[in-house]
Amino acid sequence: MACKILVLNIGSTSFKFKYFNMDDLSVIASGKINSVFSKNAGCNFLSGDTEKSTVFDASDGYGTCLEMIIDFIDKNCADGINGVSAIGFKTVMAGGINYPCVIDDAVIEKMQEYSASAPAHNAPYIEAVNSVKKYFPNVTLVSSFETAFHNTIPDFASVYPIDKDIAKKYGIRKYGFHGAAHSYAAYKFGSEKNIVSVHLGGSSSVCAVKGGKSVDVSMGFSPQSGLPMNNRCGDIDVFAVLYLMEKENMSIDDARKFLCTRCGLYGMSGISNDLRDIEKANDTLVIDAFTYSVSKYICSYLAVLGKIDVISFSGGIGENSVIVKEKICSRLKFLGVELDSEKLKHKPAGEPYKISSDKSKVEVYITPVDEELMVAKNTYAFAERR
Ligand SMILES: Nc1ncnc2c1ncn2[C@@H]1O[C@H](COP(=O)(O)OP(=O)(O)O)[C@@H](O)[C@H]1O
Ligand SMILES: CC(=O)OP(=O)(O)O
Ligand SMILES: [Mg+2]
């Protein structure tokens, strides 16, 4: 019987799934739900010739979304949900557990322990795993942690400049995230190329890839650091946070909530956590602050890689926003980066699409990353080893 793997990808603003036949990596069904937590979430599901598109109320979060996905598979795929051999989750953070493994109680406990550092991700995954168990009591559930691809980052790049005993005791260091997206770019462009993978979505990060391996990434101990995110802060002077806590009389919980809900694009603009709204409102300060931050990370990775061959844009913002790519690349002219203004407007599906001009010294691509494929491969390899 064919091995069929269902991959669940719970993002900070989206819920995606893909259902693979691992014999030939064909996709049995796939889909995406946008703007989870809003009253007007949009879903688009596909299986063979069957398509389902609807706008629905997802203000209660990921629960309704999961039910819709399971119902779609059950009604439209051969053998319904009984055809599923294993389920892979694009899980985010469990500290030292950063390798593919069965999601057992110990893994859930670790995810729980780190929930406070990844509140937009760990809690929804724990909830999803518990719900999925009810629908699939006899199916193996496998974790493919976003941190795993970054195990190759050298110690000098992952160490934080704090007391070394305390750092060791609590595992305080850079872990890095978005491993599924960045490893897809590494897989597509090959190990000969020095790649800067720029993944911009609800959560955003930049990764330096050399020899097919991650050598640095903008996210650190938590997926809240590095670039500004949808409503999460990114890099900020920690002393500004302490000052604010004192001034506003904030508890640790208040501060955490502030940093994860009233910051990033939403906090800076006061308009929305969705870049489309910020572009519509022409809030140039926010667009400039965001793109400036991305350009600086790319340039800092020149020092890491020595030479940049490929810049790959992915994620909801990275794939779709023309102005963001234009602004980021306009600061990279000194590297010989030149975009093709026509190709830049193209919206590719499938393979990476080159948007740099023939004269450009660095190749720039839009890469519709297949995070689910990387999770399916990890899940399959893990299941085979058992
Ligand atoms: N055309 C567009 N222009 C600018 N931003 C866009 C566009 N389409 C989608 N986005 C942004 O992409 C985000 C979703 O990206 P995605 O990579 O799916 O995020 P996540 O995985 O973190 O949920 C949305 O929050 C939205 O801000
Ligand atoms: C860190 C992470 O996995 O982010 P997201 O799924 O929100 O893109
Ligand atoms: Mg994502």
Side-chain angles (χ1 to χ4, degrees):
M1 213 173 91
C3 175
K4 297 196 275 184
I5 292 182
L6 172 64
V7 174
L8 298 176
N9 174 357
I10 299 178
S12 54
T13 58
S14 65
F15 194 158
K16 300 164 199 156
F17 78 94
K18 257 189 196 169
Y19 184 29
F20 294 92
N21 180 341
M22 297 309 288
D23 287 354
D24 55 2
L25 292 181
S26 57
V27 176
I28 304 163
S30 63
K32 176 170 183 176
I33 299 169
N34 289 308
S35 308
V36 179
F37 292 107
S38 88
K39 279 195 186 316
N40 300 309
C43 86
N44 191 266
F45 297 167
L46 199 64
S47 175
D49 291 335
T50 312
E51 197 175 350
K52 176 179 173 166
S53 285
T54 157
V55 173
F56 66 105
D57 184 348
S59 44
D60 76 330
Y62 298 92
T64 314
C65 304
L66 182 65
E67 277 170 30
M68 283 175 70
I69 291 170
I70 291 175
D71 182 62
F72 182 78
I73 290 174
D74 204 31
K75 290 198 174 121
N76 298 293
C77 303
D79 303 323
I81 61 167
N82 294 327
V84 177
S85 322
I87 301 180
F89 290 81
K90 189 187 75 102
T91 41
V92 174
M93 176 58 162
I97 306 182
N98 53 1
Y99 40 81
C101 55
V102 170
I103 313 185
D104 57 15
D105 290 349
V107 173
I108 293 283
E109 206 174 293
K110 265 282 173 233
M111 285 167 69
Q112 195 90 54
E113 189 183 323
Y114 286 95
S115 258
S117 355
H121 297 93
N122 273 20
Y125 269 110
I126 294 170
E127 197 186 317
V129 168
N130 288 332
S131 306
V132 164
K133 269 186 191 158
K134 288 182 203 142
Y135 292 100
F136 302 91
N138 301 314
V139 172
T140 311
L141 311 185
V142 178
S143 256
S144 184
F145 282 99
E146 288 283 59
T147 44
F149 182 59
H150 303 295
N151 283 331
T152 45
I153 294 178
D155 290 348
F156 59 78
S158 64
V159 68
Y160 282 133
I162 60 169
D163 181 293
K164 62 179 179 182
D165 298 325
I166 291 279
K168 194 167 174 210
K169 183 172 176 191
Y170 295 105
I172 307 291
R173 63 171 173 91
K174 174 180 287 202
Y175 287 89
F177 298 87
H178 279 153
H182 297 311
S183 65
Y184 183 81
Y187 159 73
K188 276 288 158 187
F189 294 106
S191 56
E192 302 291 301
K193 301 259 167 90
N194 286 349
I195 306 156
V196 177
S197 169
V198 183
H199 187 69
L200 310 176
S203 312
S204 297
S205 71
V206 186
C207 179
V209 180
K210 197 180 184 75
K213 296 183 171 129
S214 168
V215 286
D216 205 349
V217 67
S218 59
M219 282 172 167
F221 174 76
S222 78
Q224 331 304 346
S225 54
L227 302 174
M229 319 278 161
N230 55 349
N231 55 3
R232 296 170 283 136
C233 61
D235 286 345
I236 178 172
D237 184 336
V238 291
F239 275 76
V241 178
L242 298 176
Y243 180 80
L244 194 61
M245 285 175 77
E246 233 165 31
K247 288 284 177 198
E248 288 278 307
N249 202 16
M250 286 180 180
S251 66
I252 292 174
D253 277 346
D254 296 337
R256 185 182 297 117
K257 194 164 173 209
F258 175 83
L259 295 171
C260 290
T261 59
R262 290 179 56 195
C263 296
L265 299 177
Y266 173 69
M268 286 191 288
S269 68
I271 297 170
S272 165
N273 67 5
D274 191 320
L275 194 82
R276 285 169 289 200
D277 301 329
I278 294 167
E279 284 183 8
K280 249 181 248 147
N282 199 21
D283 191 334
T284 46
L285 176 70
V286 175
I287 298 168
D288 285 346
F290 181 65
T291 55
Y292 173 72
S293 172
V294 180
S295 304
K296 275 206 302 183
Y297 265 107
I298 296 174
C299 291
S300 73
Y301 291 158
L302 186 58
V304 174
L305 298 169
K307 176 178 182 274
I308 298 174
D309 300 311
V310 168
I311 297 172
S312 161
F313 284 101
S314 60
I317 297 174
E319 284 176 36
N320 295 303
S321 173
V322 170
I323 191 169
V324 160
K325 290 189 285 283
E326 257 172 354
K327 288 207 173 220
I328 293 168
C329 290
S330 72
R331 291 188 185 274
L332 306 175
K333 283 192 185 131
F334 78 99
L335 287 175
V337 171
E338 190 186 275
L339 294 178
D340 179 315
S341 52
E342 277 313 305
K343 289 182 183 162
L344 179 63
K345 293 179 199 139
H346 188 72
K347 297 225 161 89
E351 291 304 302
Y353 182 80
K354 194 158 146 191
I355 55 168
S356 48
S357 75
D358 293 340
K359 280 192 287 169
S360 183
K361 295 209 172 75
V362 179
E363 292 182 322
V364 185
Y365 289 85
I366 297 175
T367 307
V369 287
D370 195 342
E371 298 178 291
E372 295 79 18
L373 176 67
M374 304 318 274
V375 174
K377 285 180 171 210
N378 290 341
T379 305
Y380 186 64
F382 175 77
E384 286 282 282
R385 278 200 305 273
R386 291 181 86 214

